[in-house]
Amino acid sequence: MELIEIRRYPVKSLLGEFLPVAVAGDRGLEGDRLWAVRDADGKFGSGKNTRRFRRMPGLFGLRAYTLGPLHVVELPDGRRFDTEDPGVHPAVSEVLGRPVTLAREAAVPHHDEGPISVITTAGIRALTALTGGGPDGAAVDPQRFRANLLIGTPGTGHPEDDWAGRRLRLGADVILRVMRPLTRCVMIDMPQDAAPARNDLLKTLATHHGMTFGVVATVESPGVLHTGDACTLL
C-alpha cells in the first residue's frame, strides 16, 4: 500500500489544500481544522445540523490554505484574508449571508469524529462501480470525502473496514491507530471545486455500506508524512 494524497483543511468545512509533506501529531495533521466558522449562536459551520454544528450553505465557495506561518481564507472574488485579520469576519459573513466569525480551536477539537480520516482507492473504485461514476463515467472524486489521507490499495471493496483496532504504519515514523468507520453526511453530494453536485452518493452508502466510507484514526507515533510513503498494517 502507498500514501497517494495528503489533504489539509485549515478551516473546517472550507475547501482545503494538497500537501506533499505533512506533520502528524496528537491532534492529527499539523494545522488541520485549526479554525472553524462560528455563527452568532456559537455553532460551527458544517454540512450537517448537530448539537455542535450547523449546516451553512456557501462554505465550499471559500478556500483555506497555509502561506508560510499564516492561515489564509480566499473568497470567491479572489480576496484573501489572514485568519487573524479582523476584516475576515465581515468578509466571510457577506459571502455566507449571515453574521459569523472565524474561531480558532480551543479546548474542544474542531474535528467531527477524530484526528485523522483515511480513505482508500479500493473504496473509491467500489463506490464508482455502484454508482457508475460521475455524469461522464469518471471515478468518484476522492476530494468529496475531505479525508486527510488517501491510501492506494489493490482491488475493490473496502479493506479499511477490517482495520478497526489495528495499527497502520506510514513511512518511517508515523503509526496510526484505526478507531472505526466514518459515518458520512450530505456534504459528499455537494459541489466541491470541479466536482459537481450529486444526489446519489449518500443514498448509495446508506443502502450498501451503512452510510460509512473510510475510517478515522488517532496518531500513536508522531512524525512526518510524505506522498509516496509505504503503508503497512502492523
Side-chain angles (χ1 to χ4, degrees):
M1 299 188 294
E2 179 183 349
L3 180 55
I4 303 296
E5 291 178 359
I6 304 171
R7 296 178 190 251
R8 178 169 61 192
Y9 300 89
V11 180
K12 176 181 170 55
S13 298
L14 271 58
L15 298 179
E17 59 187 345
F18 282 103
L19 297 174
V21 180
V23 177
D26 288 343
R27 68 167 302 280
L29 296 189
E30 187 176 278
D32 185 56
R33 274 91 170 182
L34 191 60
W35 295 79
V37 177
R38 183 173 59 195
D39 73 3
D41 295 333
K43 289 195 173 185
F44 298 109
S46 178
K48 58 189 176 184
N49 292 309
T50 69
R51 183 179 59 84
R52 291 184 63 214
F53 302 119
R54 170 162 288 147
R55 185 174 178 182
M56 291 188 191
L59 291 173
F60 285 166
L62 303 160
R63 181 180 298 278
Y65 54 89
T66 54
L67 192 62
L70 303 179
H71 298 109
V72 176
V73 173
E74 184 173 314
L75 274 56
D77 62 9
R79 285 182 293 158
R80 301 173 183 177
F81 293 86
D82 175 8
T83 50
E84 301 278 5
D85 183 345
V88 73
H89 310 301
V92 173
S93 297
E94 181 181 1
V95 171
L96 297 181
R98 66 173 72 206
V100 298
T101 56
L102 255 66
R104 188 181 175 96
E105 182 177 275
V108 179
H110 285 325
H111 303 100
D112 282 356
E113 296 193 48
I116 289 187
S117 52
V118 181
I119 61 175
T120 65
T121 56
I124 291 292
R125 287 189 289 270
L127 187 56
T128 298
L130 285 171
T131 61
D136 57 358
V140 173
D141 192 330
Q143 75 169 320
R144 291 185 175 277
F145 301 96
R146 301 177 59 79
N148 295 124
L149 308 178
L150 172 63
I151 294 179
T153 48
T156 188
H158 298 274
E160 67 275 14
D161 287 353
D162 298 325
W163 296 355
R166 299 190 65 179
R167 299 156 74 227
L168 178 67
R169 179 186 292 277
L170 298 96
D173 302 317
V174 177
I175 297 177
L176 304 182
R177 172 73 68 173
V178 179
M179 299 165 62
R180 60 183 177 274
L182 263 169
T183 301
R184 294 299 174 172
C185 70
V186 70
M187 287 186 85
I188 65 173
D189 279 316
M190 293 179 179
Q192 300 182 47
D193 258 354
R198 297 186 61 153
N199 62 4
D200 61 331
L201 296 178
L202 190 61
K203 291 178 183 177
T204 300
L205 290 178
T207 301
H208 296 278
H209 204 240
M211 210 176 290
T212 66
F213 191 87
V215 293
V216 63
T218 58
V219 179
E220 192 168 285
S221 179
V224 180
L225 296 169
H226 306 80
T227 53
D229 278 348
C231 304
T232 308
L233 282 169
L234 303 178

